[in-house]
Amino acid sequence: MKKIKKAIIPAAGLGTRFLPETKAMPKEMLPVVDTPAIQLIVEEAKASGITDILIIIGKGKRAIEDHFDSNTELELNLAEKHKDKMLEAVQKTNGLNIYFKRQAHPNGLGDAVHTAKSFVGDDPFVIMLGDDLMQSDVPLTKQLIDSYEQTSASTLAVMRVPHEETSKYGVINPTKEISDGLYDVTSFVEKPAPEDAPSDLAIIGRYLLTPKIFEILENTKPGKGNEIQLTDAIDTLNKTDKVYAHEFKGSRFDTGNKFSWLKTNIEFGLKHPEVSEQLKSYIKELAEKINTDEK
Ligand code: G1P
């Protein structure tokens, strides 16, 4: 069986939910305390055994390329001054082959993934979406790879979401749980209204797919939002080749909108050794002040 070594990270979106911040700065570079969200995704890939990553970018995304380039001057400076922790921080994603591809005319996630066809070749691969940050003992991407090693089938990650939120996600129609947290699926539906949603199990931005998805994407017509939807292509793939859903039991943090990004920063800040104590005291003081003001 082929080892899964390749990942695609689509990062071509315009980031309109964060304007004006995203006028000149890619949304993927928004910090989670001190680390750009996209670096946390790349770290998850590395921890899962991925060696080759294609980041799909668009206009105004140069900062992402610069971020993953080595900065020799900075590294020498830190080494000379024995700032070992800082040096470690800037070298965290070293050792990976990171490539970039431009998506000239963004036309949905399915279209973005399609541009990675020649990078992927004949190998099964993973797709990691940058808005979803995951925390678990075994990285979620590694969980999908482990599952593939048992089943040899495409598998994507799902998680239960509140029923009224199904219209923000791809949602699965599970038939049966064939082993702990692994579901057989009859259909995959992109962003159904709650009254049409076949379940509360939502696709959460980690996919392991066989390269057959590319033939299907070539013939996938625009769907929701008049864009080429990856979920639609996966639904078609599932009609001839099995696609399983793996339920994620860890924590998921969304950086895709203002409020969820703020919450993510608070939660990561509460675990960050440099700021956690200060942040805890500050939140307590702030809560007391809000309580007093409201009385
Ligand atoms: C995309 C997918 C959707 C998936 C979601 C996970 O939507 O199209 O199926 O559930 O990512 O974050 P987006 O969030 O890009 O609108």
Side-chain angles (χ1 to χ4, degrees):
M1 180 184 298
K2 281 195 172 160
K3 283 257 173 242
I4 314 263
K5 293 282 169 197
K6 293 180 183 174
I8 301 172
I9 304 179
L14 297 175
T16 47
R17 276 183 267 185
F18 279 99
L19 281 169
E21 209 281 338
T22 45
K23 268 175 84 182
M25 177 62 81
K27 71 166 177 167
E28 294 78 10
M29 291 297 294
L30 279 165
V32 176
V33 188
D34 53 8
T35 305
I38 194 164
Q39 177 171 330
L40 296 173
I41 304 288
V42 169
E43 286 176 21
E44 180 189 324
K46 191 175 177 183
S48 303
I50 298 293
T51 55
D52 291 64
I53 299 177
L54 180 72
I55 303 181
I56 301 163
I57 53 173
K59 281 187 188 56
K61 302 275 185 171
R62 285 270 296 279
I64 301 179
E65 291 183 73
D66 289 343
H67 182 76
F68 289 107
D69 195 359
S70 61
N71 186 335
T72 319
E73 216 176 305
L74 173 68
E75 288 175 32
L76 278 175
N77 186 294
L78 294 173
E80 271 167 22
K81 293 183 178 147
H82 304 291
K83 296 190 169 166
D84 300 341
K85 276 224 166 101
M86 287 184 194
L87 185 61
E88 202 183 300
V90 297
Q91 292 179 332
K92 239 177 171 173
T93 55
N94 281 12
L96 292 164
N97 300 312
I98 302 184
Y99 306 91
F100 295 90
K101 169 119 195 9
R102 269 187 182 238
Q103 186 192 16
H105 304 287
N107 189 21
L109 181 59
D111 182 56
V113 169
H114 188 224
T115 65
K117 186 175 182 220
S118 60
F119 166 77
V120 167
D122 296 329
D123 305 322
F125 65 104
V126 296
I127 302 171
M128 307 173 76
L129 303 189
D131 286 347
D132 291 323
L133 302 179
M134 313 296 180
Q135 277 182 346
S136 48
D137 293 340
V138 177
L140 178 52
T141 298
K142 176 80 170 52
Q143 293 179 24
L144 293 181
I145 293 172
D146 291 345
S147 175
Y148 174 83
E149 285 173 357
Q150 304 292 320
T151 63
S152 304
S154 297
T155 305
L156 44 81
V158 295
M159 199 168 186
R160 289 199 186 275
V161 297
H163 190 65
E164 62 280 9
E165 289 183 16
T166 55
S167 59
K168 293 190 201 158
Y169 299 95
V171 174
I172 66 161
N173 186 0
T175 31
K176 64 171 190 290
E177 193 169 356
I178 53 167
S179 61
D180 185 31
L182 191 70
Y183 292 90
D184 239 327
V185 180
T186 26
S187 60
F188 298 81
V189 192
E190 181 66 1
K191 303 193 172 132
E195 57 274 26
D196 302 325
S199 76
D200 295 340
L201 285 168
I203 303 171
I204 52 161
R206 298 290 183 277
Y207 309 74
L208 188 157
L209 295 170
T210 57
K212 194 163 174 194
I213 197 73
F214 293 106
E215 288 163 38
I216 297 170
L217 280 168
E218 259 145 53
N219 299 308
T220 300
K221 302 262 171 322
K224 262 262 146 68
N226 206 25
E227 293 185 331
I228 311 288
Q229 296 297 348
L230 181 61
T231 305
D232 295 346
I234 289 172
D235 189 54
T236 308
L237 178 65
N238 188 43
K239 299 205 160 89
T240 54
D241 300 37
K242 195 126 246 6
V243 182
Y244 291 113
H246 166 82
E247 188 177 354
F248 181 51
K249 307 257 171 68
S251 315
R252 167 176 173 263
F253 299 91
D254 179 4
T255 58
N257 67 62
K258 290 173 200 140
F259 181 58
S260 60
W261 177 76
L262 285 170
K263 277 204 300 192
T264 303
N265 268 282
I266 292 171
E267 299 241 10
F268 276 67
L270 286 171
K271 290 187 194 135
H272 194 293
E274 277 172 48
V275 295
S276 67
E277 286 310 315
Q278 273 169 295
L279 183 60
K280 240 181 253 169
S281 321
Y282 172 68
I283 291 172
K284 280 186 198 151
E285 271 169 42
L286 194 62
E288 278 164 26
K289 185 173 178 306
I290 293 172
N291 274 339
T292 323
D293 291 351
E294 277 176 359
K295 274 180 196 155

